[in-house]
Amino acid sequence: MNTFHRGASLLALGAALMLPGALHAQAAPVPADAAQSEGSELADIVITAQRVTQSAQKAGLPIDVVSPLEMRQQLVTRAEDLSRTSPALAAVGGAGGTTTFYLRGVGNNTVNAYSDPAIAFNYDGVYIGRPSSTSGMFYDLARVEVLKGPQGSLYGRNATGGAINVIPIKPKIGKQEGDVSVGYGNFNWITAQGALNLPVGEKAAFRIAGNLSSHDGFLSDGSGSQREYGARAQFYAEPTAQLDLRLAADYAHQGGASATGYYIGSANLTFGPSGPPSWSYTPTGFDPRQGTGDPKSQALLATRFLSSAGRAGAVQDGKPSNDNDYWGVTGEVNYKTDAGTLTIQPAWREANIDYRFTGIFREAGSKEKDRQGSIEARWAGKAGPSLDYLIGGMYFDEKINATASYNQWTLSPYQQFSTHTKSWAGFGKLTVHPTEALSLTAAGRYTSDSKSFNGTSNVYILFCGNPALGNSCPTLPLMPLAGSGAATESFYASAGIPVTSVPLFVLPPAAGGSQTAPFVLKSPIVINSSRKDDKFTYRLAAQYDLSPRNMIYASFETGYHSGGFSFARGLESYEPETLKAYTIGSKNRFLDNKLQVNVEGFIWKYRNQQFSQFGYDLGNPPSTVLLTRNIGTSSIKGVDIDVEYQATRNTTLSGSLQYLDTSYDSFTYFVPNQGLSPNTSCGYSPTTQTTPGGSILAVYRIDCSGRPAFNAPEWSFTINGQQSIPLGETKLVLGAGTRYRSSTYSSADYLPFLMGKANFVTTLSATLAQVDDRWSVTAYVFNLTDSQRLAGATANSGNLFVANAEQPRTFGVRAGLRF
């Protein structure tokens, strides 16, 4: 460990144990941006993470609970913003509202409609299958639960690394109340939220809530803008003492435009007097807010030589945009008897998605129709004073119809496909209490997944001629912004350039061959396949209560992520991944319930990891496509510490620290050998692979074994504090906090200039409020030092690296009223 990391670790540990902050995992919910507690003790947080209602401090599992107050402080308006609230969680926003989650290095780049996330996202108790359908939910919430570690027994498939539960506030019988808040900030950021709770007689209630978030682009080309709004309505009734019913419906619209990114640097070939050429890197010096559509960025792009087309002069004239609609209906029935409680929850959700984006492309986009239906039934009961049990079953059915295109100037796939997923599961949990203080739990789940994929990807590749001849085609038209493959063919036919499914160049004339150029190669990829995966996952746990406020626990659990498909020759499908987790922890309250200290140690074994990236398939010639493959195994171990201290009635300090030690035990993949060495810092060696057509393809075997896991900082912590100052009938509440994350990698080449460097993000706020929080006015600054950490980068066809950065400094005011 170097000096900086050693110093940072000591600072983090001391801060987490002595001063902490963030009003984070175990923070008590409050109605406004005001003091956390009316008394001088810490309040309990009630969770439902284990499908039963219990205190977070009594649950023997690692969990972060994010309060509504913290979500306001951290400006959480999208799923990707949740990474600001939990040191264990990394979330990256992508095109079209997609969000990629990583939890302690476990995750996957789920940026298309045929890849599944490794972190289960559940909204109002319903599993959300698409990472593009997590928008428009973050308002009028009771809490967000972040479960750390595999959740195979109760949450099943695609919960390899954990689960995120977004839980709305339910209607309240007998209460007529409401709240509204509005805000304005830089980037012309307008926010508004409101909720109204109305009693319906003596045994029912209705609640309606809505939100709006709109801001201009964070980047100079106008991209990175947000235009989102949504609404939620719920009806809740208790017809009898044993029966309660709830029906909920929600709708959200996502507009604006995804960020294009910025050019961080270029990869260039350096030719020496002898031997093969080598790669060098030249930074651009561009500001992270200078989007790729900016005139200065366009001028740089135009200078880059596109070898396949034999020319320079590329232009990025695509326009990013989002036009996405989401809606859903959820029902919940609870029937209580002396023997136990029956819960049934059916749900239906749809999404109509239409988005365009640029980044490494001239333009790319997707249109999707996503539909999912699910139903879960469970029975929770007791068999005597020493035995608790839960049994249940779940069915999930998802259909997706989509078209997509990815124009890369010299290569353009046009995809049309449909997928269908059916998943059945049965689960159960048994907890035995041999003594009053000791609990032993065994839980298991059997999951059966069936997937089908039917689609065609017509890949068009532009060739100037045989690269061995060094041909130049300065006037060759680049791939047009066409809406289909047929339009592309018509464009080149009118230009007199042939489109063929067979390469038109063979050996150079000096070797007795001939050449015809330029031409466009049409290379179709057709997949009509299905697969079935079955898995039994389980959890074994023990918990011992040392006192009413102190306990220790240990567990072993397994997780499972189903296999799937990719539009890539020779890599059309990939296998399931699994994870085994060993956990030991302790949860404690000290000093008359004023100090909370929770500690967790863990060891995870990740097997057959799925990894999605833009890479080469095994075609001849190979195509650059977004593909998912199994890359190997990794070991993840670490320590997590959460501390909260109610120092006085008006002073709250809290914080979280996580240390991670991650390493890929095996991590290999392949790229074509086209006479140039691969641009990577990992080891590599030449070899061959057989293509689906039987040809022998020269490739490099890239070996990144021993490297750290993606999006897994070695050190991460939050330190925040809040002080309330009484002012007669009002109060002034001052908040300050910072989040630190050490450096991370997010791409498989592990190039040092693409590393996300360590940084701090600091937030300040001041709130003037009525003592009873009936009204409040807050001024805030997020990311005080304007530290924009690199969040990932990929090279385009001109070997320019397009990077994305975290949100810049924002500031503003918001006002709230309760009635």
Side-chain angles (χ1 to χ4, degrees), residues 763-776:
T763 302
L764 302 176
S765 66
T767 299
L768 182 66
Q770 191 168 313
V771 170
D772 61 2
D773 297 311
R774 184 164 296 275
W775 60 262
S776 64

Side-chain angles (χ1 to χ4, degrees), residues 391-404:
I391 58 173
M394 184 259 197
Y395 174 68
F396 174 82
D397 191 304
E398 178 186 59
K399 294 181 180 180
I400 300 173
N401 292 287
T403 59

Side-chain angles (χ1 to χ4, degrees), residues 177-193:
E177 60 185 18
D179 63 78
V180 63
S181 65
V182 294
Y184 183 79
N186 61 332
F187 297 100
N188 198 30
W189 197 334
I190 301 171
T191 58
Q193 293 188 19

Side-chain angles (χ1 to χ4, degrees), residues 305-311 410 464-465 467 471 797:
F305 186 76
L306 308 177
S307 58
S308 178
R311 56 163 290 186
T410 63
C464 169
N471 283 348
S797 299

